[in-house]
Amino acid sequence: MKITIRSLVFGSAILLSSGRLAAQSLLKYVDPNIGTAHSRWFFYTPAAVPGGMAKLAPSTNGHYGNNQGWEAVGYDTRQNSIEGFVHFHEWQIGGVSFMPTMGPLKVKPGALDTPNTGYRSNFDRKNQIAEPGYYKVLLDNYNITAELTATKRVGFHRYTFPESDQSHIILDIGNVQGESGAVMDAGIKMVDNTHFEGFVITYPKYVKTYDEGGRVSMFIYGEVSKKPANIGSFTDTGITQTSSSANGKGAGLFFDYKTTKGEAIEIKVGLSYTSEKNAKANLQAEAANLSFNQAKINAQKTWEHELGKLRVEGKDDTAKIKFYTGLYHALLGRGIASDVNGAYPTHGGKIGQLHLDINGKLSYNFMNTDAIWGGFWDLTQLWALSYPSWYQDFVHTQLQIYKDKGWFGDGIANSEYVSGVGTNFVGLSIAAAYQVGIRNYDINLAYNAVKNNELGYKNRKVGSGKMDTKAFLKYGYSPFIEEDRTDSTGAHFSASHTLEYSFSAFAAAQMAKNLGKMDDYKKLIKYSNGWRNLYNPANKLLQPKKADGTFIDKFDPYAPWRGYQEGNAMQYTYYVPQNPAALISTIGRDDFNNKLDSIFIASEKDGFGGGKVINAFAGINAIYNHGNEPSLHICWLFNFSGKPWLTQKWTRLISGGFYGIEPIHGYGYGQDEDQGQLGSWYVMTALGLFDVKGFTDAKPIIELGSPVFDKATITLGNDKTLVIETKNNSKTNLYIQSVEFNGKQLNNCWLYRDELMKGGKMVFTMGSQPNKAWGTKTPPPSAQ
């Protein structure tokens, strides 16, 4: 792995070109190349700012699309040619590829195995630089250097050409890119000699499945720094050598140039999901007088500021790379969808308008988001710790969806439902936001939406998920259906649905309790115990059950996809985060501890997942699978079972073993990063902070684990500072001997979150052997 540092480093500071000393840059610890084998569409987008709409990246295989809508596509470290540089990268959203070329004109990218059949170019990763906010590569076939950077809604390109009479820039608008799905229409035209505008309308796989009739539209308005010598167009039907517009599938333009050696041509591209007019407004607002170099500087300053909210210190640079690359992905994952004027996309290509304050500024951003499935075990906890505005944007977005469409959406692509997993944890995430004090919205509206998400089923839209809610409410569990479907009578993934709905019912119940709605609380808390209906005392597992009350036959506890989504009974039996004490008591404390410890002993041999198999689902039939959401809280359950030293041990070993710093071994092998949630898990765990309940308690707590770093300085979301110091820290000193917080000894392995958020100093003293007396007297609460 190569980390490029361009400044002279003196100790812990960097000597800037101005001669001033600055705090050491954190950007050198971010390596976007980690985990780029079999990575998801959003994952490799270095030329972006945190949460930006403009996420520019090279694509090695984006035009291939993907058949099922979710598979790895875009940039793969195992492929050695680039077909273009794409602007839009979100869950179910992709489009608009540019490519500089030289020689005879080609307007198709060509295939990976026959690159010379198209305009794609080979490249050598030795000549590639990927940093937060910036990307650079030499295209070997053309000897052209391509550079990318971005503001929130504007993409910047700089192409440095050799001398040639046949230099070109291809603007490929009307073709499939990544998760885009089928292109329904496209168009691009020159506005004048150096400005262009265009659009592409797509029909992603998951929109087709969950929100039929919806569409995803992308718009651009661009400016090129040099007038082309000639402009031509192309579509699926062919090339027109002198034409300034193109319409229909496959639409694009090409710019012909005569270039001198080392000549740079720059392009700025304003993006929007609502209109070409708003794409132009975004460009003018963010980049009218901005050069490429200044945009790069600004982007990297933004990354430095956001990453710097969590500043860790220690001798282990590998851990720092994991930490800051994980934080980078957490802050990169979900992007804004609203324009500078507050316009945002609604269903079917219509345009909505967000509220502006008295100064004409946006109070929040509307965002695109993959499902929050499992994100409450890492991403929302990270947001709540130091990035509350991100959490606010998520809550406001989902409440806007509720107002516009009548139901929360699980995943959202331009307001279209793209559920992905068919469940819905949005209500839980909003209830948790309320519990941690994020309340700058209509509380009554939010509560009614949360309640309806748990108890509502009449006229429920498919894309809002939980289509078996009626059955869950009738039976207290979702009955198993052998066919692969979910409806009002039950589900094929009935057991995992039951466990998930039980957890989210608990979250809604706690919100109801805090709002004094005790009748609702009693009803919801009853449903939070749905997991008990699936407990089989014969095997001490949570097993799918049919509507007649009998457990399913031919039951294999290691088998995924039968009763359990993306997991199996060995993993999902521990999916009772709302009441760990009851689960431990039901199984038996000794049996619980012995079995769970043996699970981690066994799973360590396979890297805590699917071994070295490069596939996102490689670990779903394993005994434990850190590569997917259903397992992420399990190693923290020892805090509840009287053996917190095992949480300390296994969280530290997972951080060391599952996570890597290589292109193939990044987040396991062939990870399923889901827009930053696995990176967030590493960040929170490395700080030694976590909550298995995802802050859904009426009074949320923080559990304590084994901090990775000697010191962490955290800028909390309330602008206070928390310092975590770890004495006697090393790779072998995994175990907490004592903890002191603001001068007082902590004897519990947890504390209330509101105490932590007051800031101050927490000191861990570590050792190589467990202190089995520490943290065992009073386990974390399982209050119902």
Side-chain angles (χ1 to χ4, degrees):
M1 183 197 67
K2 180 181 179 183
I3 301 174
T4 303
I5 306 174
R6 292 181 180 75
S7 303
L8 293 175
V9 179
F10 292 84
S12 61
I14 288 180
L15 181 64
L16 303 176
S17 58
S18 63
R20 294 183 295 107
L21 286 175
Q24 183 162 337
S25 173
L26 300 177
L27 301 189
K28 72 169 187 170
Y29 295 116
V30 178
D31 185 359
N33 298 301
I34 290 173
T36 48
H38 200 274
S39 62
R40 297 284 288 278
W41 175 239
F42 100 93
F43 186 80
Y44 190 78
T45 52
V49 296
M53 179 187 297
K55 294 182 179 176
L56 276 64
S59 176
T60 63
N61 61 11
H63 87 276
Y64 283 81
N66 54 28
N67 293 329
Q68 298 181 59
W70 64 267
E71 303 101 316
V73 66
Y75 180 93
D76 194 313
T77 193
R78 298 167 294 178
Q79 297 165 352
N80 297 306
S81 62
I82 288 172
E83 62 178 32
F85 302 100
V86 183
H87 295 72
F88 292 95
H89 288 82
E90 296 288 353
W91 169 235
Q92 298 297 293
I93 298 175
V96 182
S97 178
F98 290 2
M99 183 68 173
T101 68
M102 197 179 69
L105 178 70
K106 299 175 184 177
V107 296
K108 299 290 185 182
L112 282 163
D113 54 353
T114 54
N116 292 332
T117 60
Y119 59 66
R120 72 167 59 239
S121 172
N122 295 315
F123 73 108
D124 188 327
R125 285 180 171 78
K126 293 178 181 178
N127 298 318
Q128 174 183 258
I129 296 171
E131 301 170 342
Y134 177 68
Y135 178 81
K136 180 180 181 180
V137 69
L138 176 65
L139 300 173
D140 290 343
N141 291 33
Y142 310 121
N143 197 29
I144 295 171
T145 297
E147 298 172 272
L148 310 172
T149 190
T151 65
K152 278 189 177 181
R153 301 173 179 87
V154 181
F156 287 72
H157 305 246
R158 180 163 62 195
Y159 303 137
T160 302
F161 288 87
E163 182 178 2
S164 175
D165 292 336
Q166 289 185 302
S167 293
H168 317 284
I169 299 176
I170 310 297
L171 278 57
D172 189 343
I173 309 300
N175 288 301
V176 168
Q177 291 295 336
E179 295 175 0
S180 72
V183 171
M184 309 306 291
D185 195 9
I188 184 168
K189 66 180 180 181
M190 298 301 297
V191 176
D192 55 36
N193 288 333
T194 56
H195 292 84
F196 54 89
E197 62 182 22
F199 72 93
V200 57
I201 301 172
T202 64
Y203 196 19
K205 173 75 171 181
Y206 277 50
V207 173
K208 185 176 182 180
T209 301
Y210 293 105
D211 213 349
E212 190 174 0
R215 295 291 187 271
V216 168
S217 300
M218 292 156 274
F219 301 89
I220 61 170
Y221 180 88
E223 173 184 290
V224 63
S225 63
K226 180 181 180 181
K227 176 185 174 182
N230 176 64
I231 300 171
S233 68
F234 56 91
T235 65
D236 281 353
T237 60
I239 297 173
T240 303
Q241 286 292 341
T242 55
S243 170
S244 61
S245 66
N247 289 281
K249 294 180 180 180
L253 294 179
F254 57 87
F255 299 160
D256 295 331
Y257 290 101
K258 180 178 180 179
T259 56
T260 59
K261 182 179 180 181
E263 181 176 1
I265 298 176
E266 298 185 11
I267 310 177
K268 302 178 188 178
V269 188
L271 309 182
S272 173
Y273 291 117
T274 62
S275 69
E276 291 155 333
K277 179 181 177 182
N278 283 334
K280 181 179 180 180
N282 291 339
L283 174 63
Q284 291 176 332
E286 294 185 1
N289 300 307
L290 199 62
S291 68
F292 183 98
N293 285 340
Q294 191 59 52
K296 176 193 172 186
I297 290 170
N298 292 351
Q300 297 203 311
K301 280 183 178 178
T302 300
W303 277 110
E304 195 75 61
H305 178 265
E306 294 300 302
L307 295 171
K309 291 179 180 179
L310 306 178
R311 190 169 288 274
V312 298
E313 302 173 37
K315 301 180 184 67
D316 189 346
D317 279 357
T318 296
K320 290 179 188 175
I321 293 166
K322 293 179 185 180
F323 184 89
Y324 284 112
T325 303
L327 183 55
Y328 160 78
H329 281 121
L331 299 178
L332 180 68
R334 286 148 165 85
I336 58 173
S338 48
D339 298 315
V340 292
N341 61 9
Y344 73 96
T346 65
H347 178 67
K350 296 182 175 62
I351 302 173
Q353 179 63 46
L354 301 179
H355 174 72
L356 303 176
D357 65 18
I358 58 175
N359 298 314
K361 293 185 177 180
L362 287 171
S363 301
Y364 62 92
N365 297 299
F366 190 86
M367 67 196 305
N368 284 312
T369 174
D370 196 350
I372 203 68
W373 196 56
F376 41 77
W377 281 324
D378 33 59
L379 189 59
T380 60
Q381 293 190 43
L382 176 62
W383 287 347
L385 183 72
S386 294
Y387 304 92
S389 64
W390 293 60
Y391 209 164
Q392 291 168 11
D393 283 355
F394 178 83
V395 171
H396 280 284
T397 295
Q398 292 290 357
L399 292 178
Q400 189 65 53
I401 291 289
Y402 179 78
K403 288 186 283 186
D404 290 346
K405 306 183 77 168
W407 298 90
F408 286 143
D410 186 26
I412 297 297
N414 286 13
S415 286
E416 311 294 3
Y417 291 134
V418 283
S419 181
V421 291
T423 60
N424 189 315
F425 274 114
V426 172
L428 179 148
S429 300
I430 291 178
Y434 176 84
Q435 305 295 23
V436 299
I438 295 174
R439 301 179 181 181
N440 61 338
Y441 45 84
D442 184 332
I443 300 297
N444 287 329
L445 171 73
Y447 174 71
N448 287 330
V450 169
K451 176 183 173 181
N452 197 42
N453 200 46
E454 304 309 316
L455 303 179
Y457 57 84
K458 293 182 179 178
N459 301 315
R460 189 167 190 131
K461 296 180 179 179
V462 173
S464 69
K466 302 181 75 156
M467 297 306 292
D468 49 343
T469 298
K470 182 178 181 180
F472 176 74
L473 298 178
K474 177 181 178 180
Y475 295 96
Y477 64 94
S478 179
F480 176 76
I481 298 174
E482 193 68 62
E483 298 82 13
D484 187 6
R485 61 183 170 87
T486 302
D487 58 31
S488 61
T489 66
H492 185 64
F493 300 140
S494 60
S496 57
H497 285 193
T498 297
L499 301 174
E500 292 173 348
Y501 301 171
S502 298
F503 184 20
S504 56
F506 170 85
Q510 302 311 304
M511 187 177 185
K513 180 194 287 184
N514 274 0
L515 291 171
K517 301 178 183 295
M518 296 310 294
D519 287 343
D520 286 350
Y521 163 75
K522 292 174 184 176
K523 179 184 294 186
L524 288 160
I525 206 67
K526 179 184 71 172
Y527 289 120
S528 78
N529 285 301
W531 65 274
R532 294 181 183 273
N533 293 314
L534 301 188
Y535 182 71
N536 186 345
N539 54 27
K540 295 193 174 184
L541 296 172
L542 299 180
Q543 184 171 335
K545 185 180 283 187
K546 294 181 286 188
D548 64 7
T550 60
F551 291 110
I552 64 169
D553 56 7
K554 300 178 182 178
F555 175 61
D556 178 356
Y558 288 90
W561 304 118
R562 187 170 183 253
Y564 309 90
Q565 184 156 16
E566 300 185 25
N568 59 34
M570 299 303 296
Q571 298 163 15
Y572 268 105
T573 287
Y574 299 94
Y575 203 114
V576 189
Q578 71 275 20
N579 198 351
L583 178 66
I584 293 163
S585 176
T586 300
I587 294 175
R589 180 166 156 171
D590 289 343
D591 283 353
F592 180 93
N593 282 325
N594 293 336
K595 185 176 181 181
L596 192 54
D597 191 35
S598 69
I599 282 174
F600 285 109
I601 291 170
S603 67
E604 185 178 14
K605 299 172 185 176
D606 286 323
F608 300 103
K612 295 185 178 181
V613 176
I614 301 177
N615 185 296
F617 288 147
I620 62 171
N621 60 348
I623 197 168
Y624 171 82
N625 181 27
H626 195 79
N628 217 336
E629 287 86 341
S631 293
L632 295 182
H633 68 297
I634 297 174
C635 53
W636 288 87
L637 292 176
F638 293 108
N639 280 340
F640 292 84
S641 65
K643 291 192 175 184
W645 62 89
L646 290 177
T647 281
Q648 297 154 30
K649 172 184 176 180
W650 291 117
T651 55
R652 186 76 84 91
L653 292 179
I654 291 168
S655 297
F658 178 82
Y659 293 86
I661 59 168
E662 303 299 330
I664 292 178
H665 179 201
Y667 299 85
Y669 290 79
Q671 45 67 34
D672 192 12
E673 228 293 50
D674 282 351
Q675 291 191 293
Q677 56 91 24
L678 281 175
S680 302
W681 189 96
Y682 185 91
V683 170
M684 293 301 297
T685 299
L687 295 174
L689 307 173
F690 198 81
D691 177 28
V692 300
K693 297 188 183 184
F695 300 151
T696 58
D697 272 325
K699 188 174 183 179
I701 67 164
I702 285 281
E703 294 174 59
L704 303 179
S706 179
V708 170
F709 299 100
D710 297 345
K711 184 178 180 181
T713 303
I714 302 167
T715 301
L716 299 172
N718 55 15
D719 293 326
K720 296 181 180 180
T721 300
L722 173 67
V723 176
I724 298 174
E725 185 178 316
T726 310
K727 294 182 178 180
N728 302 330
N729 186 34
S730 71
K731 291 183 178 180
T732 56
N733 287 358
L734 311 177
Y735 300 104
I736 296 172
Q737 305 301 301
S738 64
V739 181
E740 184 182 277
F741 185 42
N742 290 334
K744 297 181 180 180
Q745 289 293 320
L746 287 181
N747 295 316
N748 294 335
C749 61
W750 61 278
L751 72 162
Y752 287 111
R753 182 182 179 275
D754 57 3
E755 291 295 315
L756 186 85
M757 295 301 289
K758 292 177 182 177
K761 187 174 184 180
M762 182 176 288
V763 180
F764 290 76
T765 300
M766 310 300 290
S768 61
Q769 298 299 318
N771 177 359
K772 296 184 179 181
W774 183 85
T776 59
K777 184 176 180 181
T778 305
S782 281
Q784 298 297 291

